[in-house]
Amino acid sequence: MNLDTFLAERSPKWDALERDLATGGRPGRLPPDRTLEVGREYRAVVADLAFARRRFPGDPVVDRLERLVLAGRQAIYSGRRRNAGALLEFVTTGYWRLVIGQPAVLAVSVLALAAPCVLAAIWALHDPAAALGLVPGQFKGAAHPHVRHLPLGAATQAVLASSIFTNNIRVAFLAFAGGLTLGFGTIALLVYNGTLLGALAGITIQAGNFSVFVRYVAPHGLLELSCIAVSGAAGLRLAWAVIDPGTLPRGASLRAAARPAVTLALGTAPWLVVAGLTEGFVTPRGLPLGAALAVGVFLFAIYWGLVATRGHSRARALASK
């Protein structure tokens, strides 16, 4: 079956489900005959998604069907299993499927953070005096040769931990909320934070203090940056729902994308707390370079390992619904 035939034969079912979702109806609130019909429409679209992924990978029809299946699943199942079992399912599986659910969007968010970081580091190596103007004042001491400890601004580790993970959650929330600016706010925040990190890295390399920088950034930084990138991806999902709503009105497309995007952002918050606690209680100890790297890589591996092992089954889970 070619694409034109597939669209001609199957798109009426998609249009019907989109109309039902756009009206805000849920199966539990519809008459029995309509409830059964919505269920049939949803199962048909899930089957079409599985077929389209195999036969037409990369075609816009796959994106449309993914959004439609996700919106349909939320409408059908969101009112069910509001109990500890549902929370456990989200923590062990649902969150990780959301992280990997739109890999292209996640890749854009990671790139918006990583590319400026690398470029700023290169710039700082060549012009450290100019780059020094970008970094926060409490870290400018890292530009001096033979520094062994980066200055910390909090009086106690407990206060530092509290202020840090609150700030991390704020940054992640702003990265998510920036999606409502068509993604410009999200991209700007990711670029800004990546640039600051890269400038500080370049300055410490130029000053011969890079090992100190790694010791004070690695334990928490790899997990923290991962969480910020995922929060940015949640914001970009909102932006894309407005930019490319498919056949839905933009308002309906935004509403359909909002629930999974908000859930993704909220699910990331506990991991930001883990990063903040690590930054407040572990990082200030000035661990040896190897130990600092080990802590950072361990947390990073746990997070992305769960994404890989718990999130990869998303397609099979959708097809089984």
Side-chain angles (χ1 to χ4, degrees), residues 151-245:
L152 301 173
T156 68
Q157 292 181 9
V159 172
L160 181 61
S162 175
S163 63
I164 285 170
F165 71 65
T166 300
N167 178 72
N168 290 346
I169 292 175
R170 180 181 63 83
V171 171
F173 173 77
L174 290 175
F176 165 69
L180 297 176
T181 64
L182 297 182
F184 290 109
T186 297
I187 295 296
L189 185 68
L190 293 172
V191 169
Y192 176 73
N193 281 274
T195 300
L196 287 181
L197 182 65
L200 184 56
I203 289 169
T204 56
I205 292 173
Q206 199 275 341
N209 300 325
F210 186 62
S211 64
V212 179
F213 170 80
V214 173
R215 286 165 51 205
Y216 278 89
V217 171
H220 65 274
L222 295 176
L223 176 60
E224 179 182 306
L225 292 172
S226 298
C227 293
I228 291 174
V230 170
S231 298
L236 294 178
R237 289 187 180 196
L238 293 180
W240 191 249
V242 176
I243 295 170
D244 183 19

Side-chain angles (χ1 to χ4, degrees), residues 23-314:
T23 61
R26 286 185 178 177
R29 300 175 183 173
L30 296 173
D33 58 333
R34 290 296 302 132
T35 298
L36 293 174
E37 181 61 26
V38 170
R40 285 192 291 268
E41 291 167 356
Y42 174 72
R43 289 192 295 272
V45 173
V46 170
D48 289 342
L49 172 59
F51 177 80
R53 280 174 169 166
R54 292 194 304 270
R55 292 294 301 273
F56 315 114
D59 191 271
V61 69
V62 175
D63 293 333
R64 177 189 178 187
L65 289 171
E66 285 182 341
R67 288 198 299 269
L68 186 54
V69 166
L70 188 58
R73 187 180 188 280
Q74 292 294 332
I76 292 171
Y77 296 105
S78 61
R80 301 181 181 181
R81 297 186 303 170
R82 297 183 181 277
N83 50 38
L87 178 60
L88 179 62
E89 191 278 336
F90 173 73
V91 171
T92 59
T93 304
Y95 170 73
W96 308 107
R97 291 176 184 163
L98 284 175
V99 172
I100 202 64
Q102 294 185 13
V105 175
L106 179 60
V108 169
S109 183
V110 171
L111 186 63
L113 190 63
C117 182
V118 173
L119 293 175
I122 295 172
W123 170 55
L125 281 171
H126 290 84
D127 192 355
L132 192 62
L134 283 179
V135 303
Q138 66 266 35
F139 295 118
K140 290 186 178 181
H144 298 294
H146 311 304
V147 164
R148 292 294 175 265
H149 299 282
L150 294 183
L152 301 173
T156 68
Q157 292 181 9
V159 172
L160 181 61
S162 175
S163 63
I164 285 170
F165 71 65
T166 300
N167 178 72
N168 290 346
I169 292 175
R170 180 181 63 83
V171 171
F173 173 77
L174 290 175
F176 165 69
L180 297 176
T181 64
L182 297 182
F184 290 109
T186 297
I187 295 296
L189 185 68
L190 293 172
V191 169
Y192 176 73
N193 281 274
T195 300
L196 287 181
L197 182 65
L200 184 56
I203 289 169
T204 56
I205 292 173
Q206 199 275 341
N209 300 325
F210 186 62
S211 64
V212 179
F213 170 80
V214 173
R215 286 165 51 205
Y216 278 89
V217 171
H220 65 274
L222 295 176
L223 176 60
E224 179 182 306
L225 292 172
S226 298
C227 293
I228 291 174
V230 170
S231 298
L236 294 178
R237 289 187 180 196
L238 293 180
W240 191 249
V242 176
I243 295 170
D244 183 19
T247 60
L248 291 175
R250 280 187 165 79
S253 177
L254 181 60
R255 287 193 297 272
R259 186 180 182 90
V262 170
T263 303
L264 177 58
L266 292 176
T268 305
W271 289 93
L272 281 165
V273 172
V274 172
L277 291 172
T278 304
E279 189 171 1
F281 289 102
V282 177
T283 298
R285 296 181 180 277
L287 298 176
L289 180 61
L293 283 172
V295 171
V297 171
F298 176 71
L299 293 176
F300 181 85
I302 287 178
Y303 186 85
W304 290 107
L306 287 169
V307 172
T309 58
R310 306 303 298 173
H312 78 286
S313 61
R314 175 178 179 270

